Amino acid sequence: MNHMKRLVVLISGNGSNLQAILDACASGEIPASVAAVISNKPDVYGLVRARQAGVLAVAFSKSDGEPRAAYDARLADYVATFQPDYIVLAGWMRLLTSNFLSRFPGRVINLHPALPGTFPGTHAIERAYASFQRGEIDHTGIMVHLVPDEGVDDGPVLATQVVPFQPSEALAQFEARVHAAEHRLLVETMRALVVGRVSNFQSPNSRSPHA
Ligand code: GAR
């Protein structure tokens, strides 16, 4: 029998992408439920968003001196208790080692505000904007991808969308456009995964940088 798919969302901050997922699950656009929202940092706004949506919100911090591998194994044990179909990294700003990833093969999904192979790591939007200011690029983008291993913001791509720069646009405005695009692309991709329509998934609004 088909069960309602379960998501666990990992966050580290504001949680605007988490909010998009919560809203899409509530409306049925993503036919799944969010079983838990876990943050590696306490007191982040994303945990408030989860509680407001009636979803279990948990701060799960690394203890002082705890080795990364031990934290990841402990996190994996905890996440596994929710029996998630997918684990969504929505602004999760910690590298996950194989101690975590090997427990959930093909089930960990990351969102990153850049195109494949560009601007991995933190502050991708700011770095792309600075590169545009220097006249090096005329667009950046966003992607959703599987996380098979410890590569940073790297892995089999599920969806991409180009975000062109606009002349004289301030960083704040540009950032808002990137986030709005992320909210749509993440929801569309999670919907496609949950309903089992994944192969070569591309948003109707997105185009591949290679197309
Ligand atoms: C998003 O832009 C997401 O793509 C990025 O963090 C932001 C979280 O925003 N993730 C990464 O940079 C991963 N390397 P949010 O907390 O408002 O969803």
Side-chain angles (χ1 to χ4, degrees), residues 40-154:
N40 63 313
K41 294 184 181 166
D43 306 325
V44 295
Y45 188 57
L47 291 175
V48 176
R49 294 178 190 272
R51 281 185 210 109
Q52 282 172 349
V55 170
L56 179 67
V58 181
F60 196 98
S61 307
K62 191 158 96 58
S63 316
D64 282 347
E66 182 179 24
R68 175 190 290 268
Y71 173 78
D72 281 4
R74 192 162 64 85
L75 179 63
D77 284 345
Y78 184 58
V79 169
T81 64
F82 299 102
Q83 300 185 296
D85 295 281
Y86 293 105
I87 297 153
V88 186
L89 310 184
W92 171 260
M93 302 308 280
R94 270 190 68 82
L95 258 184
L96 289 169
T97 61
S98 56
N99 295 280
F100 183 93
L101 297 170
S102 64
R103 300 276 298 275
F104 307 102
R107 290 173 183 235
V108 182
I109 315 296
N110 184 43
L111 168 71
H112 186 62
L115 293 172
T118 70
F119 306 108
T122 56
H123 305 297
I125 299 173
E126 291 90 332
R127 286 185 287 133
Y129 184 82
S131 179
F132 167 65
Q133 298 290 320
R134 293 193 297 269
E136 295 164 356
I137 54 175
D138 65 3
H139 69 272
T140 180
I142 57 177
M143 68 170 157
V144 182
H145 66 93
L146 290 168
V147 184
D149 55 30
E150 299 177 15
V152 180
D153 298 313
D154 191 25

Side-chain angles (χ1 to χ4, degrees), residues 119-206:
F119 306 108
T122 56
H123 305 297
I125 299 173
E126 291 90 332
R127 286 185 287 133
Y129 184 82
S131 179
F132 167 65
Q133 298 290 320
R134 293 193 297 269
E136 295 164 356
I137 54 175
D138 65 3
H139 69 272
T140 180
I142 57 177
M143 68 170 157
V144 182
H145 66 93
L146 290 168
V147 184
D149 55 30
E150 299 177 15
V152 180
D153 298 313
D154 191 25
V157 174
L158 297 170
T160 63
Q161 184 173 334
V162 167
V163 181
F165 289 99
Q166 290 172 2
S168 331
E169 189 177 37
L171 174 60
Q173 267 82 55
F174 172 67
E175 210 161 350
R177 270 198 307 122
V178 172
H179 289 313
E182 286 191 306
H183 301 160
R184 273 320 315 150
L185 193 69
L186 182 59
V187 165
E188 289 170 2
T189 309
M190 289 315 301
R191 176 182 163 77
L193 280 170
V194 163
V195 304
R197 196 165 38 76
V198 276
S199 62
N200 295 321
F201 172 75
Q202 285 290 316
S203 157
N205 300 319
S206 71

